[in-house]
């Protein structure tokens, strides 16, 4: 069985480490990016099966990154799950 690749994008390294550890333990291949800009570079080099994406990051926000990805023919079909500490 082929392992699915997940990209975790969050500026909080501790959260990336926790998510990466747990997803790896569940059998996924996990890469991390600590900014939307870094994520764009990763996505251009590696095809991912899913992206876990923080909403609030310095520089480009998670919403802006998602908009870019969904408007690109190469990346539009990658599922995105947003991570946020916002309560509204």
């Amino acid at each position: 069985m082929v392992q699915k690749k997940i990209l975790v994008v969050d500026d909080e390294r501790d959260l990336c480490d926790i998510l990466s550890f747990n997803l790896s333990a569940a059998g996924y291949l996990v890469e991390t990016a600590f900014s939307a800009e870094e994520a764009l570079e990763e996505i251009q080099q590696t095809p991912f099966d899913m992206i876990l994406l923080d909403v609030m990051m310095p520089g480009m926000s998670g919403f802006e990154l998602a908009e870019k990805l969904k408007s690109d023919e190469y990346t539009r079909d990658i599922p995105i799950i947003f991570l946020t500490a916002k309560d509204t």
Side-chain angles (χ1 to χ4, degrees):
M1 184 171 171
V2 176
Q3 286 183 301
K4 299 290 184 176
K5 293 180 191 171
I6 298 176
L7 178 62
V8 177
V9 185
D10 197 303
D11 59 321
E12 293 187 36
R13 290 180 185 266
D14 290 343
L15 183 56
C16 284
D17 290 344
I18 291 167
L19 289 169
S20 182
F21 175 82
N22 285 300
L23 290 167
S24 294
Y28 296 98
L29 292 174
V30 182
E31 294 290 330
T32 56
F34 304 110
S35 70
E37 294 81 6
E38 187 180 336
L40 278 174
E41 290 178 25
E42 288 283 332
I43 292 164
Q44 289 173 356
Q45 297 173 19
T46 306
F48 289 96
D49 297 295
M50 186 175 73
I51 299 171
L52 294 179
L53 179 58
D54 183 21
V55 171
M56 298 183 302
M57 293 183 287
M60 185 187 307
S61 74
F63 289 132
E64 291 170 313
L65 175 58
E67 190 175 311
K68 268 186 176 289
L69 296 174
K70 293 303 177 180
S71 66
D72 184 319
E73 184 178 321
Y74 175 71
T75 57
R76 75 172 52 144
D77 293 328
I78 302 172
I80 297 172
I81 296 176
F82 286 109
L83 303 173
T84 183
K86 293 179 115 180
D87 60 0
T88 57

